[in-house]
Amino acid sequence: MARRGGVSSVGPYASEEFSPGAVPAKPGVYIFRDRFQKIIYVGKAVNLRKRVAHYFRESTKRSPDPKLRSLVKSIRYWECHVVGGESESLILESRMIKENSPRYNVLMRDDKRYPLIKIDLRERLPRLRLVRVERGDGCRYFGPFPQAGALRNTVDFLTRRFKLRICSAENPGERERLHCPARFVKDCGEPCVGKISTEAYAENVQRLMMALDGDVDELLGELRAEMFAEAEAKRFERAANIRDIIDNLETTLKGRGRRSPRPLPGVLSENPALAVSALRTALGLESRKPDEEFAVEAFDISNISGTLAVSGMVVFVGGRPCKRRYRRFRIRNAEAMEKGGDDFAMMAEAVSRRYGKSDSNPLPDLLLIDGGIGQLNAAVSALKMLDLPPFPAISLAKRNEEIFIPGRHLPICLDSHSPALNLLRAIRDESHRFSVSYHRKLRDSKVERSALDGIPGIGPTRKRALLKAFDSLDGVRAATPEEIAAAVEGISTGMAEKISKALF
């Protein structure tokens, strides 16, 4: 079988040939096909290895369930798609069942459908709608989304954020405006009466479309900056509301839209070293090392307008992550942070600190920078200032997945299903995840400190005791005054009530 984009492993169905190690122990969706390679069953699992192995057992073939016996006898090929979690597997399973109507998915052929976001770009003033059925009507659809409550809140927020209309009139005008409550709460840009131009409205819609496609990093950055500002100003209720909006956006939109899931790092194919070989061929990399020992180090920068700037470095050896060699850096360049976030200077600092002093880890066979030609040039310039043996460096841009090479004017564009590009994507995405997780840890710590520091009578000792007793600020917020007083020595019921009131 030819390997498909997002497929982590494929194989013929034969119990005597099946090896559990061929299937990753990750959440995802598995697909069974008949001898004509037609999809006959789609299922999801928290652990693909355990679930798929179940069908290869001799006892399953003798199952008293006639449907299961018939399914097992019909299977000739299998494939697994690894995703980021149970929610994503639920979405992918539902979508593939709806698109393919597999013969043995009878139990899921019901009227239960997850909500989708619909927008008609042919309208003069497009707006967002929630629907359950995707029709061939020329509109754009996003989803499905299993978290209906979070989705409704997200759609409400996006409508307000991008100043979209909420009225149902096809061509709203002065008459609709007189009866529209949105203008009193300033949720709408009032394009019907020219408060916002058609061109500006169209620009807002384009930014909205990027968010619906899963590109919400910029929007999340803006919201986190607003959350920090509210917390610093001791407006903790507003900060908490923004935090909830961020959670909803990350739950519903981040990394989703209409794109297929990518395999997790280190689970690119049955043999990741093959992807390494393809990468070396695509880039023309010469090395005496075997593919299983080929090392790639990747850097990513994470910050909000220069605030809490960090860099994460991940290492892949033979196409698999080597987490014991991961490193993270807290950016020290004050000038770069004062400028609102100079990514080039921050990248140069991280690269210099990694390679500028003796390190027990060897130099990589390839350096990968998350970004475009600017970030790559900053990294290469930093390397030139160090007395190091030369080694290859490239960057991978997010928008069009272009590969930039120093000294080369035009980027390299690989096929979207290329094993080499899949490997670079996986490494880049892992470096981004690692740096963002460090940034969030610092951010959450700062918000917690700010919120608790704003409560009269709560000093460093009581603050530490509260966080230790309830694990986090959210734990303190969820506790009743009685529980707070009982859990922390020295805090009376009256003070506990003040804490609860301040946090809400």
Side-chain angles (χ1 to χ4, degrees):
M1 288 181 63
R3 185 178 180 277
R4 296 169 177 80
V7 177
S8 64
S9 49
V10 297
Y13 178 82
S15 57
E16 63 273 11
E17 299 176 2
F18 177 73
S19 171
V23 182
K26 301 284 186 180
V29 169
Y30 59 94
I31 297 172
F32 292 143
R33 298 173 181 266
D34 62 15
R35 61 193 178 95
F36 302 108
Q37 297 200 20
K38 178 180 175 60
I39 294 177
I40 58 175
Y41 187 76
V42 178
K44 63 177 176 65
V46 175
N47 187 317
L48 285 169
R49 180 177 299 168
K50 290 183 179 180
R51 185 59 178 161
V52 173
H54 167 75
Y55 293 91
F56 288 81
R57 297 171 185 162
E58 290 299 324
S59 59
T60 303
K61 297 179 181 180
R62 299 190 297 269
S63 171
D65 183 350
K67 175 191 168 186
L68 181 58
R69 288 202 312 271
S70 177
L71 167 62
V72 171
K73 290 179 181 179
S74 301
I75 299 171
R76 291 296 180 272
Y77 301 93
W78 59 269
E79 61 190 61
C80 294
H81 296 250
V82 176
V83 297
E86 189 172 3
S87 294
E88 291 185 36
S89 64
L90 189 65
I91 292 172
L92 180 58
E93 178 196 38
S94 175
R95 181 182 300 167
M96 297 199 74
I97 289 174
K98 297 296 190 298
E99 291 176 354
N100 297 282
S101 298
R103 176 182 174 187
Y104 289 95
N105 283 102
V106 176
L107 294 178
M108 295 195 68
R109 289 185 189 170
D110 53 24
D111 294 329
K112 181 180 180 181
R113 295 176 183 268
Y114 297 109
L116 304 101
I117 297 177
K118 173 182 176 180
I119 183 169
D120 188 350
L121 297 177
R122 297 166 299 184
E123 294 180 344
R124 183 174 66 88
L125 301 171
R127 67 187 182 98
L128 296 180
R129 299 174 174 89
L130 286 178
V131 298
R132 294 278 178 176
V133 179
E134 181 173 352
R135 306 184 186 280
D137 53 5
C139 297
R140 287 290 305 275
Y141 292 86
F142 301 86
F145 302 93
Q147 303 89 355
L151 179 63
R152 292 189 187 94
N153 292 334
T154 298
V155 168
D156 289 343
F157 164 75
L158 293 174
T159 297
R160 296 193 306 271
R161 186 75 174 191
F162 294 104
K163 299 295 183 182
L164 302 187
R165 67 184 181 93
I166 63 172
C167 54
S168 58
E170 185 173 348
N171 291 293
E174 183 68 33
R175 180 178 178 181
E176 286 76 18
R177 178 179 181 274
L178 294 175
H179 301 282
C180 180
R183 69 188 181 93
F184 296 111
V185 293
K186 299 182 180 178
D187 283 344
C188 179
E190 298 185 76
C192 53
V193 292
K195 288 290 184 68
I196 179 174
S197 67
T198 304
E199 292 77 14
Y201 192 95
E203 290 178 4
N204 286 351
V205 171
Q206 289 302 314
R207 290 185 61 206
L208 169 70
M209 296 295 288
M210 292 177 62
L212 293 177
D213 272 321
D215 186 4
V216 293
D217 287 341
E218 180 180 352
L219 179 57
L220 289 174
E222 295 174 359
L223 289 172
R224 290 186 181 114
E226 293 172 14
M227 181 178 67
F228 291 147
E230 297 292 351
E232 290 291 347
K234 305 190 186 311
R235 294 189 287 265
F236 301 115
E237 184 175 354
R238 295 184 185 179
N241 289 336
I242 297 175
R243 178 207 61 207
D244 293 341
I245 292 171
I246 292 173
D247 289 343
N248 286 335
L249 284 171
E250 291 184 326
T251 298
T252 56
L253 297 183
K254 188 170 177 61
R256 297 198 179 183
R258 300 181 65 91
R259 293 174 289 182
S260 298
R262 292 177 183 168
L264 294 180
V267 192
L268 296 166
S269 67
E270 293 182 37
N271 186 356
L274 295 178
V276 174
S277 178
L279 175 63
R280 294 170 70 173
T281 301
L283 299 180
L285 298 177
E286 298 283 342
S287 176
R288 295 181 179 178
K289 287 185 178 180
D291 294 331
E292 292 79 5
E293 298 177 10
F294 191 84
V296 181
E297 293 187 359
F299 287 78
D300 179 67
I301 300 294
S302 182
N303 70 100
I304 298 177
S305 300
T307 304
L308 302 177
V310 300
S311 174
M313 184 199 83
V314 302
V315 184
F316 274 53
V317 179
R320 297 183 183 277
C322 183
K323 295 191 176 182
R324 62 182 176 81
R325 291 169 58 178
Y326 283 18
R327 291 184 60 181
R328 58 189 189 185
F329 306 89
R330 181 78 183 267
I331 300 300
R332 303 168 181 167
N333 190 328
E335 183 178 354
M337 292 186 283
E338 288 174 359
K339 291 180 180 179
D342 186 342
D343 281 1
F344 301 159
M346 293 178 187
M347 183 63 73
E349 177 186 334
V351 170
S352 297
R353 287 169 59 186
R354 158 63 181 97
Y355 303 110
K357 59 182 180 181
S358 59
D359 196 298
S360 59
N361 294 324
L363 294 177
D365 299 293
L366 176 66
L367 172 63
L368 173 62
I369 301 298
D370 182 7
I373 190 66
Q375 286 86 351
L376 177 61
N377 287 340
V380 171
S381 297
L383 289 174
K384 288 180 179 178
M385 298 179 67
L386 305 172
D387 187 17
L388 293 172
F391 58 93
I394 62 172
S395 69
L396 180 63
K398 287 188 178 72
R399 185 170 296 277
N400 296 315
E401 309 287 20
E402 297 170 322
I403 302 171
F404 291 94
I405 298 177
R408 179 167 175 163
H409 180 64
L410 296 176
I412 295 176
C413 297
L414 300 178
D415 182 85
S416 60
H417 300 304
S418 162
L421 182 57
N422 281 339
L423 175 59
L424 291 178
R425 284 169 172 166
I427 300 174
R428 188 268 315 277
D429 291 350
E430 173 68 351
S431 69
H432 181 69
R433 180 203 65 79
F434 186 60
S435 64
V436 168
S437 65
Y438 181 36
H439 173 77
R440 286 176 178 168
K441 181 179 179 180
L442 297 177
R443 179 201 72 201
D444 292 343
S445 176
K446 180 177 180 180
V447 172
E448 288 183 357
R449 288 197 304 271
S450 300
L452 291 174
D453 286 343
I455 301 174
I458 299 300
T461 301
R462 286 175 175 169
K463 179 174 60 179
R464 285 193 297 270
L466 282 166
L467 293 176
K468 182 178 180 180
F470 296 98
D471 295 328
S472 67
L473 184 65
D474 285 338
V476 180
R477 183 179 286 111
T480 64
E482 292 75 16
E483 291 172 336
I484 294 175
V488 181
E489 185 178 356
I491 293 184
S492 64
T493 303
M495 179 175 289
E497 290 176 350
K498 291 181 180 179
I499 294 172
S500 295
K501 184 177 181 180
L503 293 180
F504 281 93

